[in-house]
Amino acid sequence: MSAMSTSVTEAGTEATLDLTETMIEEDSIKFKVADWTVFCLMLVASVCIGIVSALKDRRKATIQEYLLGGGNMPPLAVALSLMGGWVSAISILGNPTEIYFYGTQVATSLIGCVPGAIVVNKIILPIFYNLKIVSVNEYLERRYRSVALRKVCTFISLLNLFLYMGMCLYAPSLALSTVTSLSTFTTMAIMGAIVSFYITIGGVKAVVYTDVLQTLLMFGGVLAVVVLGCSEVGGVKEVWAIAERGDRLEFFNTDPSPYVRHSVLSTFFMGFFLVINTIGVSQSSYQRFASVKTLKTAKRLVYFFLIALWCLWIVFFFSGLVAYAIYSTCDPLTSGKINKADQIIPFLVTDKLGHVPAMAGIFVAAVYGGVLSTLSTCGNSTVCMVWEDFLKPLPFFSGFSDSSATRVMKILSSLTGVISVALGMLMSNLGNIFHVIFSISGALSGPITGVFLVGILMPWVDGKSVISGLLVSFCFNVWLVVGKFLKGAGAPTQLPLSIVGCASHLNATLDSLASSTLSSPTLASTTVDQVEESIYDISYCYNSFIGVTITMVVSTLVSLVNGPKRPEIDDRLVNPTCDRVYRKAWKRYLIWRKGKMAQQIQKEQENNAESMTMLHKVKSGPDTSGNP
């Protein structure tokens, strides 16, 4: 009986998929001439900016100019670049998907971003900026006096960057493949080629000025979708009411359990370390800060980033509520109209807003603007780290002139697109882009962030101690994340989705399928058996926190085992307050040790005196010779 029901269900599923695939081919709204025009104009503009930047600075072929823009770039352009370089297609597509399927609790991560920005502004940025370094990992070599540590951290950072670039390149392929007949590989290849081209010829200036265009396009494109989507369902109040009826609104889940995927505590930690990871100890962000004239200007950029992040993410999150309001009675994923959850917003644009001239083109251009901005930023940073941390110290490259070094970096830039395409194909099989990227990025960046924070805040930790902390933290985090993906642990349970309002000619087939599997037409996409929770079920929001904590704790313990170290560090490399506290503690330690030694010497002297007294008494004991 069980086997028979299974075969019927499978047959029904296959029939449904065949039907929906046919319907998609017949009914989907493809790109029109106006859409292609808008999209292509964005790509052409990006390439032209790279060409203009290259021609304008063709006589300034220096490493400083290519990687840091000469240190005198316009603050507003850098501010928009800082925002656009991080807010990518992952945010445009992943954030709404997260809200649509799992609710709004993740939005409280924005609260954690506030103290994170304060830490970057007050503690981290002044250290790096005043050192006038090119690669942020150069700080590690100076602080810990360890070339090996610098290279290990660079390798992990490059691994994180390449995986992030792969996911960023995969994300827009979902958008374009939803509205056109282009394959994901074709769209990723196009993007990789364009990004490689204008990074290669233009350097950081091309990246920054292109980011300005793409950031404005991102915000405008998604905002247009939100406004038109709200009008589709009757306004913001109606969107909010539908979301409330669908149990999408959740902001105060105070469950302290680490196994709860999203709670106030877990999202706070995610937001806090998100800012520290992305703009505090990130090579790409540091290059933006170093490209302005003064530290005061750079510190202002941190708060601009915070405000812009709040604005952009609120729009992105709300677009997820808009999508849910529109499809609350006919979910496209459950009904088979889309194949992946992250296609929900591109499908909305073509399905409900396709009648607006060039709307699909504007939205896809916004998505591609996001990925171009992020890929160019990451690519430029990757080249910087490879050159500064690996190639430049080698004897063969150490004697290169600035022009020769710039040519080498341009060759390296051209390779980043190829690697990104390959990794994009790999990342396409891992699931929801929001969940995947924050899981992997948090696990890899946590240990590195811990190393930087130990260097800045803990003057007593030396190179050997922090390497121990880094290795333990990295191995644990990788084991945790790999275990999650292999065992399927921590998999989120989607909130209820409905198909009761789907078109009648499709509804009959879907209802027959639903009746054979569920008791009602409201489909809960995933149900998880009640099993005992394991370490793999810990929320991905804690990945960075775990990595930082392990690094700091293990480094401190190893330092204590090895014995306290005299504070001989350059005071420019550590936080001034922490340095003063440690020096005072060291003086007290010396006084305590001197007192202990004095007590020990005094005790030894007393013991010696007592021994001499006893010996004297023995020698001058009572006379037994009988003489008077």
Side-chain angles (χ1 to χ4, degrees):
M1 184 67 181
S2 172
M4 182 180 298
S5 63
T6 301
S7 62
V8 171
T9 301
E10 290 177 350
T13 303
E14 291 176 0
T16 302
L17 292 176
D18 291 340
L19 175 61
T20 53
E21 286 176 1
T22 302
M23 291 182 61
I24 291 171
E25 291 178 0
E26 293 176 354
D27 298 337
S28 60
I29 304 173
K30 300 300 182 182
F31 254 24
K32 298 176 183 178
V33 175
D35 299 315
W36 279 114
T37 301
V38 171
F39 177 63
C40 291
L41 281 176
M42 185 276 294
L43 296 181
V44 171
S46 298
V47 173
C48 288
I49 290 174
I51 295 175
V52 171
S53 298
L55 294 176
K56 186 177 179 180
D57 298 324
R58 62 185 182 277
R59 296 180 180 179
K60 302 177 182 178
T62 65
I63 297 176
Q64 185 78 6
E65 192 74 25
Y66 188 79
L67 296 178
L68 302 179
N72 58 356
M73 297 197 67
L76 180 59
V78 175
L80 291 173
S81 174
L82 184 66
M83 189 68 251
W86 185 81
V87 178
S88 65
I90 290 175
S91 300
I92 298 176
L93 300 181
N95 290 23
T97 300
E98 183 67 29
I99 298 293
Y100 184 96
F101 289 102
Y102 307 111
T104 59
Q105 185 63 65
V106 69
T108 55
S109 59
L110 289 171
I111 299 174
C113 293
V114 176
I118 294 174
V119 170
V120 173
N121 181 279
K122 302 294 184 182
I123 297 176
I124 299 176
L125 181 58
I127 299 289
F128 295 159
Y129 188 93
N130 289 329
L131 290 176
K132 301 300 180 183
I133 54 181
V134 177
S135 168
V136 72
N137 294 311
E138 183 181 342
Y139 166 82
L140 300 178
E141 182 177 351
R142 292 195 191 184
R143 165 63 177 84
Y144 297 109
R145 301 173 186 175
S146 173
V147 177
L149 177 63
R150 175 180 178 178
K151 294 185 182 300
V152 169
C153 290
T154 300
F155 175 79
I156 298 175
S157 298
L158 288 173
L159 176 63
N160 189 22
L161 268 177
F162 277 122
L163 291 175
Y164 185 69
M165 290 167 67
M167 183 58 80
C168 287
L169 193 56
Y170 162 66
S173 69
L174 292 175
L176 197 57
S177 63
T178 303
V179 299
T180 70
S181 58
L182 295 176
S183 66
T184 55
F185 176 78
T186 301
T187 57
M188 284 192 286
I190 293 172
M191 293 302 298
I194 292 174
V195 170
S196 298
F197 175 75
Y198 80 75
I199 294 179
T200 299
I201 64 172
V204 74
K205 284 191 175 180
V207 173
V208 168
Y209 291 130
T210 311
D211 285 349
V212 174
L213 167 68
Q214 292 156 355
T215 302
L216 296 175
L217 189 59
M218 270 193 293
F219 183 76
V222 180
L223 184 62
V225 171
V226 169
V227 172
L228 294 174
C230 283
S231 64
E232 184 80 13
V233 297
V236 174
K237 285 187 176 180
E238 186 62 22
V239 170
W240 200 260
I242 294 174
E244 188 173 14
R245 290 196 297 269
D247 295 326
R248 259 53 185 181
L249 301 184
E250 182 184 32
F251 297 101
F252 303 104
N253 185 345
T254 57
D255 191 335
S257 171
Y259 302 111
V260 176
R261 183 170 182 264
H262 286 156
S263 65
V264 173
L265 184 63
S266 67
T267 55
F268 177 87
F269 277 117
M270 184 178 78
F272 179 79
F273 287 105
L274 171 72
V275 172
I276 292 180
N277 292 342
T278 54
I279 67 170
V281 297
S282 164
Q283 175 64 35
S284 57
S285 297
Y286 169 72
Q287 285 179 244
R288 302 297 177 278
F289 293 132
S291 67
V292 295
K293 291 183 179 180
T294 64
L295 174 61
K296 184 177 181 180
T297 302
K299 294 176 74 172
R300 287 175 178 172
L301 294 180
V302 175
Y303 291 130
F304 178 90
F305 173 88
L306 178 65
I307 295 171
L309 178 64
W310 270 68
C311 293
L312 284 174
W313 268 29
I314 287 174
V315 172
F316 295 163
F317 284 142
F318 193 74
S319 68
L321 293 181
V322 171
Y324 178 75
I326 292 175
Y327 295 116
S328 60
T329 58
C330 184
D331 172 53
L333 183 64
T334 306
S335 61
K337 294 179 181 178
I338 57 176
N339 299 319
K340 293 180 179 292
D342 295 300
Q343 292 176 311
I344 187 70
I345 296 298
F347 178 77
L348 181 153
V349 172
T350 58
D351 181 39
K352 300 297 183 182
L353 307 179
H355 62 279
V356 180
M359 188 64 233
I362 292 173
F363 176 75
V364 174
V367 175
Y368 267 72
V371 76
L372 277 171
S373 179
T374 300
L375 283 180
S376 60
T377 297
C378 293
N380 189 262
S381 302
T382 299
V383 170
C384 178
M385 286 191 288
V386 170
W387 172 256
E388 289 289 327
D389 299 330
F390 287 117
L391 298 183
K392 187 177 178 180
L394 298 177
F396 179 76
F397 294 100
S398 60
F400 274 30
S401 64
D402 277 351
S403 58
S404 299
T406 303
R407 283 195 292 270
V408 172
M409 285 186 281
K410 289 184 176 182
I411 295 173
L412 293 174
S413 296
S414 64
L415 298 177
T416 59
V418 178
I419 298 175
S420 298
V421 172
L423 289 173
M425 298 301 295
L426 172 66
M427 301 293 278
S428 64
N429 300 315
L430 294 182
N432 183 320
I433 56 177
F434 185 93
H435 175 77
V436 170
I437 199 60
F438 278 96
S439 296
I440 296 176
S441 180
L444 294 179
S445 59
I448 301 298
T449 300
V451 172
F452 281 104
L453 291 179
V454 167
I456 294 172
L457 303 176
M458 300 180 175
W460 58 87
V461 177
D462 60 5
K464 293 181 180 179
S465 300
V466 82
I467 287 176
S468 302
L470 172 65
L471 294 178
V472 173
S473 176
F474 178 76
C475 292
F476 181 84
N477 268 20
V478 170
W479 167 68
L480 187 63
V481 170
V482 172
K484 278 179 179 288
F485 285 112
L486 292 180
K487 295 181 177 294
T493 302
Q494 292 179 1
L495 295 174
L497 302 168
S498 176
I499 56 170
V500 294
C502 293
S504 58
H505 62 288
L506 176 63
N507 217 27
T509 302
L510 292 173
D511 284 344
S512 63
L513 173 62
S515 63
S516 66
T517 56
L518 299 171
S519 58
S520 70
T522 298
L523 303 180
S525 61
T526 307
T527 56
V528 182
D529 295 334
Q530 294 296 323
V531 296
E532 186 177 353
E533 291 166 328
S534 68
I535 193 172
Y536 298 114
D537 293 296
I538 293 176
S539 172
Y540 73 97
C541 297
Y542 291 109
N543 285 352
S544 285
F545 171 72
I546 292 172
V548 171
T549 302
I550 292 177
T551 303
M552 298 178 81
V553 171
V554 173
S555 299
T556 299
L557 291 177
V558 174
S559 295
L560 293 176
V561 171
N562 292 336
K565 303 293 188 299
R566 182 182 297 275
E568 297 176 344
I569 303 171
D570 184 345
D571 55 9
R572 297 179 304 163
L573 300 173
V574 295
N575 177 260
T577 302
C578 296
D579 187 45
R580 286 194 301 269
V581 170
Y582 182 53
R583 291 182 184 276
K584 289 181 180 179
W586 178 260
K587 289 180 181 179
R588 292 188 178 183
Y589 168 74
L590 291 180
I591 294 173
W592 172 82
R593 190 172 67 173
K594 185 177 181 181
K596 293 289 289 184
M597 292 178 64
Q599 290 178 2
Q600 185 176 357
I601 293 173
Q602 183 179 359
K603 190 173 182 180
E604 290 178 355
Q605 289 175 347
E606 290 175 353
N607 290 337
N608 291 335
E610 185 178 352
S611 299
M612 292 297 293
T613 302
M614 292 297 295
L615 182 61
H616 178 71
K617 287 182 179 179
V618 171
K619 289 183 177 181
S620 59
D623 189 359
T624 58
S625 62
N627 296 325

